[in-house]
């Protein structure tokens, strides 16, 4: 008998967890939430040609579909535990599914995340991953909670993914810097360790999926505050600066999407300690501005001149 697609996915993503009473194979999964913990759930869909370019490698698609969901867990301060995968495939090509499952599993293993079920249907290529995480009750990091005077910080570097997409569109860039930027687009790193380290530290947190201006704008709206950003403090990768230069880097960082870094606010006195705590965060953290009274995000250059901000990030339904 042919090894079914679901069996292949189960084999490739196998992960033992004591809190999984029943995984793939029955009508539904049975999972145990420990006493004193809250279940944190999120779902995100990736559609070919919309969220990843045609021709993206199957392993990259599998990685990214999980990564964008883990990023939502990170933004809440949750530890990822389980996922469901709804897969829509144009055909049942086994090699494609194997590669996709391998890319998914490569990231899942890093967090001992178990794939406990899903659904498989025929149609234009699309993946929905529902991820489930855990955190001690009452300790979630929310968008609301930023306080006037807080430092605004971001993890890692900004603008790389948008620059990578620009390189793919232009069909160019074959050096190591270009490859790094394209890798940042296809294989974002969810900042799970940073999210865990920020529990009890950050006043507000969000992941940067639609661009810093748009996502920091969500923190401001939810918290009833404004944000003042010093654009000269934005963290850029050497690759981004090398390929595109400082001016374009700033545009990519403010308005480009798909970075999946965390943007969070903390009391100023905690920001310094966090910045030097690279090991626990799993990455760098950089102070880029402050929470102010008022509303909306305002960005200034190094000389204190306010920047005219037009593009406000990625909106699927914008004309
Ligand atoms: P049902 O008709 O009961 O929904 P399915 O054939 O859709 O049964 O699924 C059988 C089992 O395989 C279920 O446990 C389901 O969760 C799992 N499953 C189906 N598709 C996937 C997938 N793409 N990834 C992981 N598990 C899957
Ligand atoms: Mg089903």
């Amino acid at each position: 008998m042919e090894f079914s697609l679901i069996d292949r996915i189960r084999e490739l993503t196998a992960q033992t967890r004591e809190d999984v009473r029943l995984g793939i194979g029955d009508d539904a999964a049975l999972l145990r939430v420990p006493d004193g913990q809250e279940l944190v759930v999120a779902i995100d869909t990736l559609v070919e040609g919309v969220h990843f370019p045609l021709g993206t490698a199957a392993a990259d698609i599998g990685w990214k579909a999980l990564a964008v969901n883990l990023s939502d867990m990170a933004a809440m301060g949750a530890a990822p535990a389980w996922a469901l995968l709804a897969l829509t495939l144009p055909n049942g090509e086994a090699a494609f599914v194997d590669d996709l499952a391998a890319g998914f599993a490569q990231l899942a293993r890093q967090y001992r995340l178990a794939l406990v079920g899903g659904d498989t249907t025929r149609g234009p290529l699309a993946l929905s991953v529902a991820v489930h995480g855990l955190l001690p009750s009452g300790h979630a990091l929310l968008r609301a909670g930023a306080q006037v005077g807080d430092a605004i910080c971001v993890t890692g570097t900004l603008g790389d993914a948008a620059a990578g997409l620009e390189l793919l569109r232009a069909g160019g860039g074959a050096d190591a810097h270009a490859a790094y930027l394209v890798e940042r687009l296809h294989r974002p790193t969810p900042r799970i360790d940073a999210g865990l380290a920020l529990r009890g530290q950050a006043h507000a947190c969000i992941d940067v999926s639609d661009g810093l201006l748009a996502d920091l704008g969500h923190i401001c709206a939810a918290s009833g505050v404004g944000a003042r950003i010093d654009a000269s403090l934005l963290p850029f990768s050497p690759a981004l600066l090398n390929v595109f230069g400082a001016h374009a880097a700033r545009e990519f960082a403010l308005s480009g999407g798909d970075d999946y870094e965390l943007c969070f606010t903390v009391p100023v006195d905690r920001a310094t300690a966090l910045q030097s705590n690279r090991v626990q965060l799993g990455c760098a953290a950089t102070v880029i501005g402050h929470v102010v009274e008022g509303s909306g995000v305002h960005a200034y250059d190094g000389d204190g001149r306010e920047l005219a901000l037009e593009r406000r990030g990625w909106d699927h339904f914008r004309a």
Side-chain angles (χ1 to χ4, degrees):
M1 195 185 94
E2 197 202 343
F3 203 40
S4 79
L5 287 182
I6 294 171
D7 289 336
R8 310 178 85 91
I9 293 172
R10 180 170 49 191
E11 288 277 307
L12 286 161
T13 60
Q15 172 69 60
T16 318
R17 287 182 64 102
E18 287 192 342
D19 52 17
V20 178
R21 291 186 51 207
L22 193 58
I24 294 173
D26 212 305
D27 294 313
L30 290 173
L31 310 167
R32 216 177 342 230
V33 178
D35 287 346
Q37 302 265 310
E38 273 171 338
L39 183 61
V40 185
V41 297
I43 185 166
D44 258 318
T45 298
L46 264 58
V47 176
E48 183 178 52
V50 180
H51 303 96
F52 56 88
L54 264 88
T56 303
D60 289 342
I61 297 169
W63 173 291
K64 187 161 182 176
L66 179 57
V68 303
N69 281 280
L70 290 182
S71 180
D72 284 323
M73 293 293 110
M76 299 298 288
W82 316 301
L84 300 165
L85 169 62
L87 198 50
T88 308
L89 298 165
N91 56 55
E93 198 191 320
F96 184 88
V97 173
D98 284 357
D99 288 350
L100 188 143
F104 182 101
Q106 201 185 342
L107 181 58
R109 267 195 298 275
Q110 293 182 22
Y111 301 103
R112 295 192 51 248
L113 176 129
L115 183 65
V116 296
D119 194 29
T120 309
T121 58
R122 186 181 293 272
L125 181 59
L127 302 81
S128 293
V129 174
V131 70
H132 302 64
L134 297 166
L135 52 72
S137 297
H139 284 71
L141 302 172
L142 307 180
R143 296 177 180 189
Q147 293 177 19
V148 172
D150 279 357
I152 298 169
C153 306
V154 291
T155 59
T157 58
L158 295 176
D160 295 329
L165 184 60
E166 187 67 26
L167 284 172
L168 288 183
R169 283 200 186 119
D175 65 0
H177 288 310
Y180 174 86
L181 297 174
V182 172
E183 174 94 357
R184 289 272 289 160
L185 173 70
H186 287 325
R187 295 215 170 203
T189 304
R191 300 302 188 188
I192 294 292
D193 292 342
L196 297 178
L198 291 173
R199 279 184 193 165
Q201 300 283 320
H203 282 161
C205 186
I206 193 167
D207 66 323
V208 182
S209 54
D210 297 336
L212 179 67
L213 294 177
D215 290 315
L216 179 53
H218 294 318
I219 285 187
C220 290
S223 301
V225 296
R228 185 184 170 106
I229 297 300
D230 181 345
S232 68
L233 299 179
L234 293 170
F236 302 133
S237 68
L240 178 58
L241 287 174
N242 184 280
V243 178
F244 286 97
H247 187 78
R250 192 171 81 186
E251 286 299 305
F252 285 131
L254 291 173
S255 304
D258 261 9
D259 281 321
Y260 301 101
E261 298 293 350
L262 297 184
C263 175
F264 57 94
T265 83
V266 282
V268 172
D269 54 351
R270 277 184 214 155
T272 320
L274 273 171
Q275 281 194 102
S276 55
N277 198 354
R278 245 190 116 107
V279 174
Q280 208 196 343
L281 292 177
C283 59
T286 307
V287 175
I288 58 166
H290 291 89
V291 177
V292 295
E293 285 177 10
S295 64
V297 182
H298 302 270
Y300 298 81
D301 67 15
D303 299 323
R305 278 188 301 260
E306 183 162 7
L307 304 175
L309 304 173
E310 282 163 25
R311 296 168 53 204
R312 308 296 299 196
W314 178 250
D315 178 349
H316 292 276
F317 297 103
R318 190 170 53 189

